[in-house]
Amino acid sequence: MSFTDLSIAKEATIKPIEKIAESAGISRDALELYGNYKAKINVDLLEPAAKLGQVVLVTALSPTPAGEGKSTVTVGLADALKQLKESVVVALREPSLGPVMGVKGGATGGGFAQVLPMEDINLHFTGDIHAITTANNALAAFIDNHLHQGNKLHIDPRRITWKRVLDMNDRALRQVTVGLGGPAQGVPREDGFDITVASEIMAVLCLADSLEDLKERLAQMVIGYTYDKEPVTVRNLGVEGALTLLLKDALKPNLVQTIEGTPAIIHGGPFANIAHGCNSLMATQTARRLADIVVTEAGFGADLGAEKFMHIKSRKGNFHPDAVVIVATVRALKMHGGVAKDSLKESNHDAVRRGIVNLAKHVETIREFGIEPVIALNRFVTDTEEELAEVIGWAEAEEIELALTNVWEQGGEGGLELAKIVKRQLATPNQFAHLYDEQDSVEEKLRAIVQKVYGGADVQLSDKAQKQLVELKKYGWDALPICMAKTQYSLSDQPKLLGRPEGFTITIREIIPKLGAGFLVCLTGDIMTMPGLPKQPAALNMDVGEDGEAVGLF
Amino acid sequence: MSFTDLSIAKEATIKPIEKIAESAGISRDALELYGNYKAKINVDLLEPAAKLGQVVLVTALSPTPAGEGKSTVTVGLADALKQLKESVVVALREPSLGPVMGVKGGATGGGFAQVLPMEDINLHFTGDIHAITTANNALAAFIDNHLHQGNKLHIDPRRITWKRVLDMNDRALRQVTVGLGGPAQGVPREDGFDITVASEIMAVLCLADSLEDLKERLAQMVIGYTYDKEPVTVRNLGVEGALTLLLKDALKPNLVQTIEGTPAIIHGGPFANIAHGCNSLMATQTARRLADIVVTEAGFGADLGAEKFMHIKSRKGNFHPDAVVIVATVRALKMHGGVAKDSLKESNHDAVRRGIVNLAKHVETIREFGIEPVIALNRFVTDTEEELAEVIGWAEAEEIELALTNVWEQGGEGGLELAKIVKRQLATPNQFAHLYDEQDSVEEKLRAIVQKVYGGADVQLSDKAQKQLVELKKYGWDALPICMAKTQYSLSDQPKLLGRPEGFTITIREIIPKLGAGFLVCLTGDIMTMPGLPKQPAALNMDVGEDGEAVGLF
């Protein structure tokens, strides 16, 4: 096939963003244009909504390096609902430049189910992530300047927990020493950089419901501890106003469109393995004001993004999904069934059958939350009828709704079957329940996630994490939800344990309180908060063509 | 006075940017809107110009911490020319967030001679500087990844000259070690961060005249040396395409407006002490296509920005200024005459007279270039008639054109006298000549700058610089212009030597070849390529008001 996402995007007819806004009921004065095809929405200027739309959450089985097309299905489902004359808005995350330059080349859906203008969205978009990077690093500079200028707050340089960030995959910055070179160059100390999308400010931006809430959350962020081990916050430094100023435009949701002209709100972009993995609450709630149905996705498998969507994002927003779609592919099932990536093109329905255990666990997880999921079996050209039949037969036997989707090639048309099932689910009230209460002990909350979501046996805390837990309790920070940092490839904390591992114990290496975001990050396994680039970064294929157009964004 | 720049800006009537574009002859389809009051100009879609406009360069005496209002005079002069019915565009640099957060609070002119929307321009604007930061740090990540993945090019980690950047004043990042933590975290090495506006990519963006030229310059950048001391370029790494892709929108000039509705192109923002200090060549040349007169500024005193404007920027653009304005203030002259900053409010015409030597040197310098300068004596409320008379009398005696300006309070009206003199100068051909040829030896070029521009006796190279010079010659890189990195406060390399020091020798500490920018950076004195924050950063006063508006940008 000579089509690429980029070539399809370039051939597509894109409408002026004012037209898209108009179709979504957004008045011109609530729009701040960024070129002809992107706009920020000034939420304060929107008409009040009579009621809020229903929410369809798209999640997936445990992903594989092959890619399952979750964003593609999310976009295709929205376009299909539009074809069925529903009032619909799709709400996605903003791509991080790190993976775009590293492995992905792009993250805006694919084929005939993508958002436009894909070049801009994949590069700097409207600058939100740059604003977050800037605010994060301004805070770091204020902290180091405070140390340098006399350290009135008695901050212990060894106990500064605030890290710098870049929106790049840059492993050499994971662990650094700063302030070298003598007394004029600051105070030497150990430091490190995370990727911006793993930063607390990204989470804060994604969970704030107003500018005031944003400022209050920024003020509450803990940046480290004094020599007496008292927490030091942004409020103590007095810079929450400056940080809010740097973020005031970034807080406004961005409006773009799908290739079929469905309004798309793309805003906020935390990763789901090392952060909470959902687009912004502002975006989802804005979308709910504009449409009867909002289709949104959460990152990676249901063990990561969906779990955090339920326990962190929608809990803050006081809502829950009205329907859940789990995306699966024959290729991913084969990998979970033991096939190596290089052999995926060979038909192997036995491997598909063996791999279904992974999908089955995610179905069980969504049912644990009281929601009956729908499986979207996303077709690839290499899938054989025999392989597809394996999955379809299993779903029938288990009485799970399943639809084949072919949205990459067909756009919304390829998602009509899925859309019809989703509409039925939306008409059926569900019995949603959280799997833990915020007031439960940290150990109970962890156990709930490990046992009910991961299907593991138990959880254990490293010595470091145990000491941190004692501190957390001392400060009264233990009544917060958990944000697990775990590999996306396995239900366990071992990336190579595919399928449905059982009897495993999850080890919590470290617990990092994020008081601004309002959750406790629990690091498991070898998970890194700053990725690295591969041997052949995607950037090597990127270029600008003769007419100034992007080349090499897939 | 209860007015602030921000309060005046907020009260001002701002026109839709389409109207400003129309008045400048820019068609709607050549505009890419960023909100209602900012736009990027797609230069390829502009009508061809019958002739290019004349250029007025605004420079200054050696600045003082008090601030002389050079940008303010630049804006006011443009507004005055507009009042005189001239076709005029003003071309300025983009403010760096580092100084905005640190000491300045804002850098968009002042009072009734400023550019709008000042909040946006001072914060993220259209994201150009963020794009430069991103491209710079992507390159750094590609370099460290190359080391980590086997180092096929045999890059010597001790001889990597490419530094990371942030657009922040952050002294703790001047000298760092990266890649710590074991084999999975990259290769340990010494590194450092510069401020983005001092980066080579900023210079490349400001000197490129097309996307192809940008890509070629990026490809030529030297990032370090192999173990065999052979230079390694971006082309060797194969990532010039990706860097160009990251910068393709940043290369487009930005259109805004002055408070009086004069079109303003604000694009590129290198500092003039540690970089070449001029806005982009694209911006100036675009402005020349749109107007008969372009008023532009170069940073700090005529020894820095103006010298680099002549020898680097306008040489690349194959033009030279048609008129030069030197901004002076009574306050600055008093400081050059020995008055401490705290005593500036007291009238002291003796000190003014003593300080005039500094201004006199800058007048001589501009005359060295074959141009007869005009002095803009920029009034402050504390100036006394006696003090002003001192300067006016001297200028009359020396037969130098001088105009009093009062643009902060009066806008263009306060610059009419200056505008009339400038118009006369523009009607008089000048005898422009460079003070050195690119083909001169590095020592000759340095001596020309030190003797003819700084008024010093001689130049000497540190041992390190001498060794670097030998290498430069070996690689054939010595036929490039010089970009001096020198304190802005003194004509010498000693910040405390105010007035007109004589007989001094400038020491070149280090010579850094910037092949993409096409110049040799020569570091003098203690000049830092990464500033620090002051004890009380301006950020402490920043906030967002109830209506989401900026607070604390002066």
Side-chain angles (χ1 to χ4, degrees):
Chain A
M1 187 153 6
S2 66
F3 282 128
T4 65
D5 295 348
L6 184 57
S7 73
I8 292 169
K10 282 181 186 162
E11 292 303 313
T13 310
I14 186 166
K15 293 182 192 164
I17 198 66
E18 292 101 320
K19 292 278 173 204
I20 300 295
E22 201 183 315
S23 75
I26 304 170
S27 65
R28 177 62 185 82
D29 51 304
L31 280 193
E32 295 173 13
L33 299 192
Y34 280 68
N36 297 325
Y37 307 111
K38 298 167 284 178
K40 282 202 165 276
I41 304 171
N42 190 335
V43 177
D44 296 337
L45 299 181
L46 291 180
E47 299 290 319
K51 67 174 181 61
L52 294 177
Q54 289 187 295
V55 175
V56 182
L57 175 66
V58 181
T59 180
L61 83 180
S62 301
T64 65
E68 279 58 65
K70 180 154 45 66
S71 300
T72 307
V73 170
T74 307
V75 171
L77 172 58
D79 286 340
L81 286 163
K82 181 163 169 261
Q83 289 192 16
L84 296 177
K85 308 289 176 206
E86 294 294 327
S87 137
V88 61
V89 169
V90 60
L92 299 170
R93 285 175 297 160
E94 303 184 44
S96 162
L97 264 172
V100 168
M101 289 287 137
V103 290
K104 277 188 170 177
T108 44
F112 290 92
Q114 56 173 311
V115 280
L116 303 176
M118 80 88 95
E119 293 184 36
D120 296 14
I121 300 169
N122 277 310
L123 294 171
H124 308 289
F125 200 22
T126 58
D128 296 341
I129 298 183
H130 291 322
I132 293 168
T133 304
T134 303
N136 185 101
N137 294 338
L139 176 53
F142 298 143
I143 295 167
D144 275 308
N145 189 53
H146 188 90
L147 294 184
H148 178 76
Q149 304 282 3
N151 198 5
K152 215 166 142 187
L153 293 171
H154 301 287
I155 300 168
D156 184 344
R158 302 164 304 177
R159 290 195 168 82
I160 292 172
T161 50
W162 192 258
K163 290 166 80 177
R164 289 176 166 87
V165 299
L166 286 181
D167 187 29
M168 193 52 58
N169 288 9
D170 196 345
R171 70 171 67 72
L173 293 179
R174 284 176 189 152
Q175 203 171 319
V176 303
T177 51
V178 301
L180 302 176
Q185 333 284 20
V187 177
R189 64 181 185 88
E190 288 184 37
D191 194 9
F193 285 69
D194 287 337
I195 189 162
T196 303
V197 288
S199 69
E200 183 166 7
I201 295 187
M202 174 58 90
V204 162
L205 188 98
C206 285
L207 293 169
D209 59 18
S210 66
L211 208 50
E212 301 75 59
D213 185 31
L214 179 76
K215 185 171 157 187
E216 181 55 28
R217 286 169 177 273
L218 292 169
Q220 287 173 10
M221 296 191 305
V222 172
I223 61 94
Y225 300 84
T226 65
Y227 285 105
D228 298 330
K229 297 198 187 165
E230 291 302 316
V232 180
T233 64
V234 169
R235 202 190 310 280
N236 297 142
L237 287 166
V239 294
E240 66 272 26
L243 300 188
T244 309
L245 183 59
L246 286 168
L247 294 167
K248 73 184 173 67
D249 290 325
L251 187 63
K252 298 172 187 162
N254 306 297
L255 181 70
V256 289
Q257 65 192 286
T258 72
I259 212 164
E260 296 189 9
T262 306
I265 297 186
I266 302 196
H267 191 227
F271 286 168
N273 49 355
I274 52 182
H276 79 281
C278 306
N279 71 338
S280 79
L281 192 54
M282 289 277 280
T284 302
Q285 299 295 59
T286 301
R288 292 179 70 202
R289 287 170 67 177
L290 299 171
D292 295 338
I293 305 175
V294 174
V295 184
T296 189
E297 46 97 52
F300 296 127
D303 54 328
L304 288 168
E307 182 270 315
K308 294 167 185 176
F309 186 95
M310 313 294 193
H311 285 138
I312 297 173
K313 175 181 169 175
S314 62
R315 173 138 54 186
K316 293 279 173 215
N318 226 346
F319 71 98
H320 60 78
D322 299 285
V324 173
V325 173
I326 304 176
V327 177
T329 58
V330 161
R331 297 198 303 177
L333 291 170
K334 282 197 278 193
M335 284 194 80
H336 284 296
V339 173
K341 195 180 169 188
D342 295 341
S343 310
L344 284 177
K345 285 186 179 165
E346 297 155 27
S347 181
N348 188 338
H349 69 101
D350 283 342
V352 170
R353 192 174 57 246
R354 285 195 304 274
I356 279 176
V357 290
N358 181 274
L359 178 56
K361 174 64 194 96
H362 292 294
V363 168
E364 285 172 30
T365 299
I366 299 303
R367 284 175 170 169
E368 284 275 0
F369 282 103
I371 301 176
E372 187 55 36
V374 183
I375 294 170
L377 185 57
N378 192 28
R379 292 190 74 153
F380 277 71
V381 279
T382 51
D383 299 349
T384 62
E385 291 305 320
E386 212 180 1
E387 290 173 324
L388 294 167
E390 196 73 55
V391 193
I392 294 165
W394 165 78
E396 273 171 9
E398 300 287 326
E399 296 185 350
I400 309 163
E401 295 267 26
L402 179 147
L404 280 173
T405 55
N406 194 6
V407 293
W408 198 102
E409 283 186 9
Q410 299 177 0
E413 180 91 23
L416 284 174
E417 187 192 344
L418 175 64
K420 285 172 192 162
I421 301 175
V422 164
K423 277 183 67 175
R424 281 206 305 273
Q425 301 296 87
L426 289 175
T428 319
N430 61 42
Q431 304 296 321
F432 180 83
H434 293 117
L435 303 187
Y436 67 78
D437 287 334
E438 289 176 311
Q439 300 305 325
D440 294 344
S441 73
V442 171
E443 294 90 334
E444 284 167 336
K445 288 184 273 201
L446 285 167
R447 206 167 291 123
I449 295 170
V450 169
Q451 294 175 344
K452 296 183 191 166
V453 178
Y454 303 166
D458 206 357
V459 62
Q460 68 181 22
L461 276 63
S462 71
D463 289 352
K464 185 172 185 180
Q466 283 182 24
K467 276 172 73 175
Q468 288 169 322
L469 185 55
V470 173
E471 298 280 306
L472 286 178
K473 287 179 179 166
K474 190 179 92 185
Y475 300 129
W477 297 340
D478 48 337
L480 291 173
I482 304 293
C483 181
M484 291 291 253
K486 181 184 77 69
T487 177
Q488 64 269 33
Y489 294 119
S490 172
L491 287 158
S492 76
D493 56 6
Q494 307 298 316
K496 301 214 164 131
L497 286 183
L498 301 193
R500 182 176 185 164
E502 286 181 345
F504 59 86
T505 295
I506 295 276
T507 304
I508 307 295
R509 201 172 80 219
E510 208 174 322
I511 307 179
I512 306 167
K514 305 272 190 184
L515 297 203
F519 53 60
L520 306 174
V521 172
C522 294
L523 295 178
T524 73
D526 294 327
I527 194 81
M528 297 278 185
T529 47
M530 170 58 97
L533 289 168
K535 201 166 182 104
Q536 296 286 324
L540 291 173
N541 301 315
M542 292 180 186
D543 205 349
V544 175
E546 275 185 20
D547 299 329
E549 83 282 7
V551 173
L553 296 171
F554 307 2
Chain B
M1 186 154 4
S2 65
F3 282 129
T4 65
D5 295 347
L6 184 56
S7 72
I8 292 169
K10 281 180 187 161
E11 292 303 313
T13 310
I14 187 167
K15 293 181 193 163
I17 197 65
E18 292 101 320
K19 291 280 174 203
I20 299 295
E22 202 184 312
S23 75
I26 304 169
S27 65
R28 177 63 186 81
D29 50 303
L31 280 193
E32 295 173 14
L33 299 192
Y34 281 68
N36 298 324
Y37 308 110
K38 298 167 284 177
K40 281 200 166 278
I41 304 171
N42 190 334
V43 176
D44 296 337
L45 299 181
L46 291 180
E47 299 289 320
K51 66 174 181 64
L52 294 178
Q54 289 187 294
V55 175
V56 182
L57 175 66
V58 181
T59 179
L61 83 180
S62 300
T64 66
E68 279 58 64
K70 180 155 45 69
S71 299
T72 308
V73 170
T74 307
V75 171
L77 171 58
D79 285 341
L81 286 164
K82 180 164 170 260
Q83 290 192 14
L84 295 177
K85 309 289 177 205
E86 294 295 329
S87 138
V88 61
V89 168
V90 60
L92 299 170
R93 285 176 297 161
E94 303 184 44
S96 163
L97 264 172
V100 168
M101 289 287 138
V103 290
K104 277 188 169 174
T108 45
F112 290 93
Q114 56 172 311
V115 280
L116 303 176
M118 80 89 94
E119 293 185 35
D120 295 14
I121 300 169
N122 276 308
L123 294 170
H124 308 289
F125 199 22
T126 57
D128 297 340
I129 299 184
H130 291 323
I132 294 168
T133 304
T134 302
N136 185 101
N137 295 338
L139 177 53
F142 298 142
I143 295 167
D144 275 308
N145 190 53
H146 188 89
L147 295 185
H148 178 75
Q149 305 281 4
N151 198 7
K152 213 165 142 190
L153 293 171
H154 301 287
I155 300 169
D156 184 344
R158 303 162 304 176
R159 290 194 168 81
I160 292 172
T161 49
W162 192 258
K163 291 166 79 177
R164 289 175 165 87
V165 300
L166 286 181
D167 187 31
M168 194 50 60
N169 288 8
D170 196 345
R171 70 171 67 70
L173 293 179
R174 283 175 190 154
Q175 204 172 317
V176 303
T177 51
V178 300
L180 303 176
Q185 333 283 19
V187 177
R189 64 179 185 90
E190 289 185 36
D191 194 10
F193 284 69
D194 288 336
I195 189 163
T196 304
V197 288
S199 70
E200 182 166 6
I201 294 187
M202 173 58 90
V204 162
L205 188 97
C206 285
L207 293 169
D209 59 17
S210 67
L211 207 51
E212 301 75 58
D213 185 31
L214 178 77
K215 184 170 156 188
E216 181 55 28
R217 286 169 176 273
L218 291 169
Q220 287 173 9
M221 297 191 305
V222 172
I223 61 93
Y225 300 84
T226 64
Y227 286 104
D228 298 330
K229 298 199 186 162
E230 289 303 315
V232 180
T233 64
V234 169
R235 203 190 311 278
N236 298 141
L237 288 166
V239 293
E240 66 271 26
L243 301 187
T244 308
L245 183 59
L246 286 169
L247 294 166
K248 73 183 175 66
D249 290 326
L251 187 64
K252 297 172 187 162
N254 306 296
L255 181 69
V256 290
Q257 64 191 285
T258 72
I259 212 164
E260 297 189 8
T262 305
I265 296 185
I266 303 196
H267 192 227
F271 286 168
N273 49 355
I274 52 182
H276 79 280
C278 305
N279 70 339
S280 78
L281 192 54
M282 289 277 280
T284 302
Q285 299 295 57
T286 302
R288 293 179 73 203
R289 288 170 67 176
L290 299 171
D292 295 337
I293 305 175
V294 174
V295 185
T296 189
E297 45 97 54
F300 296 128
D303 53 328
L304 289 168
E307 182 270 316
K308 294 167 183 175
F309 187 94
M310 313 295 192
H311 285 139
I312 297 172
K313 176 181 169 176
S314 61
R315 174 141 48 189
K316 293 277 173 218
N318 227 343
F319 71 97
H320 60 78
D322 299 286
V324 173
V325 173
I326 304 176
V327 178
T329 59
V330 161
R331 298 198 302 177
L333 291 170
K334 282 197 277 194
M335 285 194 79
H336 283 295
V339 173
K341 194 181 170 189
D342 295 341
S343 310
L344 283 178
K345 285 187 179 164
E346 297 156 26
S347 180
N348 188 337
H349 68 101
D350 283 341
V352 170
R353 193 174 56 245
R354 286 195 304 273
I356 280 176
V357 290
N358 181 274
L359 178 56
K361 175 65 194 98
H362 291 294
V363 169
E364 285 172 29
T365 299
I366 299 304
R367 285 175 169 168
E368 284 274 0
F369 283 102
I371 300 176
E372 187 56 33
V374 184
I375 293 169
L377 186 56
N378 191 27
R379 292 190 74 155
F380 277 71
V381 280
T382 51
D383 299 349
T384 61
E385 291 304 321
E386 212 180 3
E387 289 173 323
L388 294 167
E390 196 73 54
V391 193
I392 294 166
W394 165 79
E396 272 171 11
E398 300 287 325
E399 296 186 349
I400 309 162
E401 295 268 24
L402 180 147
L404 280 172
T405 55
N406 193 7
V407 293
W408 198 101
E409 283 186 7
Q410 299 177 359
E413 180 91 24
L416 285 174
E417 188 193 343
L418 175 64
K420 285 172 192 162
I421 300 174
V422 165
K423 275 183 67 177
R424 281 206 305 274
Q425 302 296 87
L426 288 175
T428 318
N430 59 42
Q431 305 295 323
F432 180 82
H434 294 116
L435 303 186
Y436 67 79
D437 288 334
E438 290 177 311
Q439 300 305 324
D440 294 345
S441 73
V442 171
E443 295 90 335
E444 284 167 338
K445 288 184 272 199
L446 285 168
R447 206 167 291 124
I449 295 170
V450 169
Q451 293 176 345
K452 296 183 191 167
V453 178
Y454 303 166
D458 207 355
V459 62
Q460 68 180 23
L461 275 64
S462 72
D463 290 352
K464 183 172 186 180
Q466 282 182 25
K467 276 171 75 176
Q468 289 169 321
L469 185 55
V470 172
E471 299 282 305
L472 287 178
K473 287 179 182 167
K474 190 179 93 184
Y475 301 128
W477 297 340
D478 48 338
L480 292 172
I482 304 292
C483 181
M484 291 290 253
K486 181 183 77 68
T487 177
Q488 65 269 33
Y489 294 120
S490 173
L491 286 158
S492 76
D493 57 4
Q494 306 297 317
K496 300 214 163 131
L497 285 184
L498 301 193
R500 181 177 184 163
E502 285 182 348
F504 59 86
T505 296
I506 295 276
T507 304
I508 307 296
R509 201 171 79 220
E510 208 172 321
I511 307 179
I512 306 168
K514 305 272 190 184
L515 297 203
F519 54 59
L520 305 174
V521 172
C522 295
L523 295 178
T524 73
D526 294 329
I527 194 80
M528 298 280 188
T529 46
M530 170 57 97
L533 289 168
K535 200 166 182 105
Q536 296 286 322
L540 291 173
N541 301 315
M542 292 180 187
D543 205 348
V544 175
E546 278 184 18
D547 300 328
E549 83 282 7
V551 174
L553 295 172
F554 306 179

